[in-house]
Amino acid sequence: MLPLIVVVAALLVGLGGGRVYSAHKLAKSNDLVVTRGDYALYLPRPGQVAFYSLGACGGCEKTRKLLRELGVDYVERPADTSTAHRQELHRLGAKRVPVIVTTNAKLEGYDRGRMIGLLEEQGYLSPAGR
């Protein structure tokens, strides 16, 4: 009986550790990638941006601050506390966070200038709002 308990405990620890490692791996990547496509399915409603984040992520904190500063209407989806949001990130093919999703583009990583340009191009802010 004891060996069975040890095996089950090891499996449970291994599964949980994989989730933490996966989130940690996402947070560590600093590459910036913009992918064009139809991402309307991931938006809560037209005119809003979906923002996928992790709690301990410097780029996510900067992105949150930038979106607020620019007055962008967004919904944050924390991938480290929600299995559903983590699954959406996998369906999106995201390899890093933060991830901003607009109607026609997905931006992975943080780059203030490119984020502002993308949000402006997609109609989420006016040139005067920069």
Side-chain angles (χ1 to χ4, degrees):
M1 181 69 171
L2 184 59
L4 178 61
I5 293 172
V6 170
V7 169
V8 170
L11 285 172
L12 290 174
V13 168
L15 291 174
R19 287 184 187 155
V20 170
Y21 173 74
S22 176
H24 178 71
K25 185 176 170 186
L26 278 170
K28 285 295 181 182
S29 180
N30 292 324
D31 298 334
L32 184 73
V33 176
V34 176
T35 308
R36 304 293 178 162
D38 181 4
Y39 295 103
L41 175 68
Y42 294 92
L43 301 180
R45 62 183 173 82
Q48 267 188 332
V49 168
F51 163 44
Y52 294 87
S53 65
L54 293 175
C57 166
C60 297
E61 183 56 40
K62 290 177 186 176
T63 299
R64 189 177 301 109
K65 182 179 176 184
L66 178 64
L67 291 172
R68 286 181 187 148
E69 177 185 312
L70 296 172
V72 174
D73 187 10
Y74 72 94
V75 171
E76 186 166 354
R77 295 179 172 160
D80 52 350
T81 60
S82 168
T83 301
H85 297 155
R86 196 169 33 256
Q87 289 172 346
E88 285 178 18
L89 270 177
H90 289 294
R91 281 195 302 273
L92 281 164
K95 305 283 188 241
R96 64 206 48 84
V97 289
V99 174
I100 292 179
V101 178
T102 67
T103 305
N104 298 313
K106 173 184 66 168
L107 176 67
E108 298 179 53
Y110 178 81
D111 180 306
R112 181 181 171 87
R114 287 184 70 190
M115 285 177 157
I116 291 171
L118 177 72
L119 291 168
E120 186 177 271
E121 170 193 312
Q122 296 287 311
Y124 290 92
L125 61 141
S126 66
R130 293 177 79 169

